């Protein structure tokens, strides 16, 4: 009897420990890799959830369009609605704010819409709480989403306004927002300001270009054209094997954002140990080519685009700078390198697939080649072998 009770208690305890562990693991594990193989944007647009006499419209549990909305605080909006605001779920948990915005959404009487004192913002306005605002890749996802939603909602993306629902410190990428879109500003909580068309946008992590399994990313080429046009960069590079242009991206330690100080002493991962040797090896294979090294954070976006649209072969360690695969000419080839301590991530392999450019990847598996401060030595044989493959692929028939 006593033993049985003891055993039962043990079983209960064990169950608590097991369940607790499972919960902890679930709670602590990072966002699962997204495995979407389709992105049914058109279907979301065809089947909106409409409420509040049309002042609230939500699409695919990903984005929403509010009419005559006010921004009451950095987390609170209001919308004219004579009854309760609808219950609606977005497909985000903590990684995006839309679920919280929905929970906080305040109704106000529709009769207030005609308020004479009100200051109407007529331009369609996208509200965005930026994710990793200093990071080119994640910001590209945000830009893409504004373009995408504009496209399917029949808006001219060049003419939409952007409101940042965050107070991230200034970043070199901020300028690009203003080049691509119309007015760009941090949220204002002005009681009198009424946004005739306010869009809670798809979050950056849910951008189709962040779903690496998609066979095609919707409007990928249109977005590329939109981006290059906004910068007035033309895209007419032809392949000439006697005049190849090879660009090598170099990564340096620099402060992208203040919090970086607390991460790895502010050191940047995935740097080349032997930059000069790598360039020499590239030149030894591509004897006819111009080889240029670039440090992207020291260049304006305009200059980056000018280089990338003229690049036949792009070489670099895995990192946000490889987002420029998007802007390469269609005949280009990419060679992406990963250190031993990093996963073989497919972000830019997917970009290459969608863009139709040839991709080669290589991961260091030899610990001897890893050095303090996140420097990786790339052996001559690795560089030459890949360069020969690239040359053969493009320029030897
Ligand atoms: C909103 O602003 C307050 C300070 O005014 C800040 O403490 C809070 O973190 C902000 N919330 C979000 C989600 O940005
Ligand atoms: C969008 O607006 C820009 C700026 O006014 C204009 O140059 C462009 O032609 C417009 N695009 C379309 C598709 O109407």
């Amino acid at each position: 009897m006593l033993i049985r009770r003891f055993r039962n208690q043990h079983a209960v305890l064990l169950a608590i420990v097991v369940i607790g562990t499972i919960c902890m693991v679930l709670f602590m594990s990072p966002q699962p890799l997204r495995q979407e193989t389709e992105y049914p944007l058109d279907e979301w647009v065809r089947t909106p959830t409409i409420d509040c006499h049309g002042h609230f419209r939500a699409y695919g549990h990903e984005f929403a369009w509010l009419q005559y909305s006010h921004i009451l605080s950095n987390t609170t909006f209001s919308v004219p609605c004579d009854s309760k605001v609808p219950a609606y779920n977005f497909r985000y948990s903590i990684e995006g704010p839309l679920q919280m915005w929905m929970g906080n959404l305040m109704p106000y009487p529709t009769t207030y819409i005609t308020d004479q004192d009100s200051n109407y913002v007529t331009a369609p306005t996208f509200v965005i709480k930026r994710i990793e605002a200093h990071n080119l890749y994640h910001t590209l996802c945000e830009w893409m989403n504004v373009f995408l939603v504009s496209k399917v909602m029949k808006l001219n993306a060049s003419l939409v306004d952007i409101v940042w629902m965050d107070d991230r410190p200034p970043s070199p990428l901020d300028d690009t927002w203003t080049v691509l879109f119309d007015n760009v500003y941090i949220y204002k909580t002005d009681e009198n300001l009424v946004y005739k068309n306010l869009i809670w946008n798809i979050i950056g992590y849910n951008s189709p270009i962040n779903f690496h399994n998609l066979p095609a990313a919707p409007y990928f080429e249109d977005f590329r054209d939109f981006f290059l046009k906004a910068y007035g960069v033309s895209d007419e590079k032809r392949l000439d094997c006697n005049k190849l242009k090879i660009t090598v991206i170099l990564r340096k330690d620099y402060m992208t954002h203040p919090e970086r100080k607390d991460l790895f002493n502010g050191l940047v991962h995935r740097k080349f140990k032997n930059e000069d040797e790598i360039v020499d090896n590239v030149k030894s294979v591509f004897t006819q080519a111009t080889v240029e090294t670039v440090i992207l954070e020291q260049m304006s976006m305009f200059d980056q685009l000018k280089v990338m649209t003229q690049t036949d072969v792009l070489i670099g360690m895995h990192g946000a700078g490889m987002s420029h695969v998007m802007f390469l000419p269609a005949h280009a080839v990419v060679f992406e390198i990963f250190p031993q301590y990093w996963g073989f991530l497919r972000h830019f392999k997917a970009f290459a697939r969608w863009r139709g450019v040839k991709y080669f990847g290589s991961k260091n598996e030899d610990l001897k080649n890893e050095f303090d401060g996140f420097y990786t030595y790339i052996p001559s044989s690795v560089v030459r072998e890949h360069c020969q493959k690239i040359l053969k692929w493009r320029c030897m028939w």
Side-chain angles (χ1 to χ4, degrees), residues 74-75 100 129:
N74 63 352
T75 57
M100 174 178 59
K129 183 168 186 287

Side-chain angles (χ1 to χ4, degrees), residues 177-203:
W177 287 90
T178 62
V179 173
L180 298 180
F181 310 112
D182 200 3
N183 301 300
V184 179
Y185 51 93
I186 292 175
Y187 70 94
K188 302 178 234 192
T189 53
D190 177 340
E191 289 282 315
N192 290 322
L193 221 48
V194 185
Y195 292 86
K196 276 198 167 167
N197 295 290
L198 191 85
I199 295 159
W200 292 350
N201 205 26
I202 301 175
I203 68 163

Side-chain angles (χ1 to χ4, degrees), residues 320-386:
M322 292 302 272
S323 301
H324 277 294
V325 169
M326 177 178 268
F327 300 112
L328 297 174
H331 66 253
V333 183
V334 185
F335 176 31
E336 186 179 30
I337 304 167
F338 299 81
Q340 189 273 340
Y341 56 84
W342 210 261
F344 196 112
L345 301 178
R346 295 167 306 139
H347 302 68
F348 309 113
K349 192 175 179 180
F351 274 33
R353 185 170 75 246
W354 299 327
R355 178 84 190 104
V357 313
K358 180 68 183 169
Y359 177 94
F360 293 101
S362 172
K363 182 165 153 65
N364 172 43
E365 299 293 358
D366 188 348
L367 266 179
K368 271 204 323 292
N369 291 329
E370 300 296 348
F371 290 83
D372 282 353
F374 307 114
Y375 288 96
T376 305
Y377 179 82
I378 315 296
S380 299
S381 58
V382 170
V383 177
R384 285 194 197 168
E385 249 168 52
H386 283 87

Side-chain angles (χ1 to χ4, degrees), residues 57-72:
R57 291 162 189 266
Y59 300 86
H61 305 273
E62 295 279 352
F63 69 100
W65 185 314
L66 279 54
Q67 290 188 317
Y68 301 99
S69 182
H70 297 252
I71 300 176
L72 304 179

